[in-house]
Amino acid sequence: MVLGKVIGTVWATRKDEQLRGLTLQLVREIEADGSDKSRVVVAVDSVGAGVGETVLFVQGSSARQTELTKNKPIDAVITAIIDKLDVE
Amino acid sequence: MVLGKVIGTVWATRKDEQLRGLTLQLVREIEADGSDKSRVVVAVDSVGAGVGETVLFVQGSSARQTELTKNKPIDAVITAIIDKLDVE
Amino acid sequence: MVLGKVIGTVWATRKDEQLRGLTLQLVREIEADGSDKSRVVVAVDSVGAGVGETVLFVQGSSARQTELTKNKPIDAVITAIIDKLDVE
Amino acid sequence: MVLGKVIGTVWATRKDEQLRGLTLQLVREIEADGSDKSRVVVAVDSVGAGVGETVLFVQGSSARQTELTKNKPIDAVITAIIDKLDVE
Amino acid sequence: MVLGKVIGTVWATRKDEQLRGLTLQLVREIEADGSDKSRVVVAVDSVGAGVGETVLFVQGSSARQTELTKNKPIDAVITAIIDKLDVE
């Protein structure tokens, strides 16, 4: 999984039927110290993450292992909102 | 998923039988601000996206989770045409 | 999928039994304008592509969705020979 | 698989139900000579790896092939603690 | 698949039960001309490849399609020892 920060939302009317009702968030990858990385992905939100929150997201086929995303054409999903990183 | 812009179309006569009838679009990845990235992929179009449109595409095994692409040797599919990005 | 150019062939006697009889081509990724990229992969040829031809190849689990590669330890397969790219 | 060093722990209260009870470690990829790489991932720990230890981790769908992670939205798992690297 | 050169061996006592008995080789990716790339992965050896040999390895879920690795938490496996590369 990778750390990210929610930076916005994606709106689309014309889309695959299986995306209906899903929230698509723009997530910027971040470093362990919280600084921005350049890569931004679009991830389904399964935990109610808001803009500005630090999150954990999962990619690839494992992104289809949540209730919301099962069997859907989804390759990235937010699975946790981070409370704290203990970096030693 | 990743944001992209459709920049062209791929034509191929000699191909795997399972690709017959599918539209193969050239999609350039873009940043959240709409600027071009260097990576270009070939994706099946499942939503009628035209050249110049901003789209969402999915990669890997999840690209086989649409009606058009199920069980086919396809690793990228356009699943939405973007109306608007709210970036904060 | 990604665009590539066949640049050579790989020969191996000692190999997994499931690779027997498959043609392993060296494929250099190319840009949409036909210029070379640095990445080279080894892909199974399912369409009779020769050296110098521009091809489409698929990667990951989707590379196991052709008749030749089903259930085999193959993560890249050439699925089309490109006739023309319309880039606008 | 890739070599890494455990550099910390991730804490999250609001998360997908399937992550409950799993330890999420921050793992920095390292070179074969032990020097740091820039990429850091979050991996489930299946072998009791502590901070500072050199580990092996697996990514993608194969990360769901341990008892702890089966069928869960997990794309990285630590599967071994490295004793020694023989590099010639 | 990708070309590589076996550069060493990984030793681990504390590991996932499914890794027992498998040889874990350090493999450096190489270019088609045989020169070193920077990326090193740890791959299961299914063909008896020794240090210094040029090999073919497969990654991702396809790495679980050999007899040795089926259903195991393995994302890279050596599937052939290269005799010759014809690069034109």
Side-chain angles (χ1 to χ4, degrees), chain B residues 6-77:
Chain B
V6 181
I7 61 165
T9 306
V10 177
W11 302 96
T13 310
R14 290 169 290 170
K15 58 189 167 191
D16 186 281
E17 280 299 317
Q18 299 172 86
L19 300 188
R20 303 234 170 266
L22 298 178
T23 303
L24 297 170
Q25 299 287 43
L26 276 165
V27 182
R28 179 175 292 284
E29 283 193 27
I30 60 171
E31 307 278 2
D33 67 3
S35 59
D36 286 352
K37 296 185 77 167
S38 65
R39 188 169 175 252
V40 171
V41 304
V42 178
V44 166
D45 180 15
S46 77
V47 290
V51 171
E53 282 187 298
T54 299
V55 298
L56 188 73
F57 66 98
V58 58
Q59 297 175 89
S61 62
S62 297
R64 299 197 308 270
Q65 303 291 322
T66 74
E67 275 190 42
L68 266 182
T69 57
K70 193 144 302 246
N71 298 327
K72 293 183 181 166
I74 299 293
D75 65 9
V77 63

Side-chain angles (χ1 to χ4, degrees), chain C residues 5-10 24-28 40-43 78, chain E residues 3 32 85-87:
Chain C
K5 190 167 60 175
V6 181
I7 62 166
T9 306
V10 176
L24 298 170
Q25 299 287 44
L26 275 166
V27 182
R28 179 176 292 285
V40 172
V41 304
V42 178
I78 298 169
Chain E
L3 300 173
L85 296 175
D86 277 343
V87 185

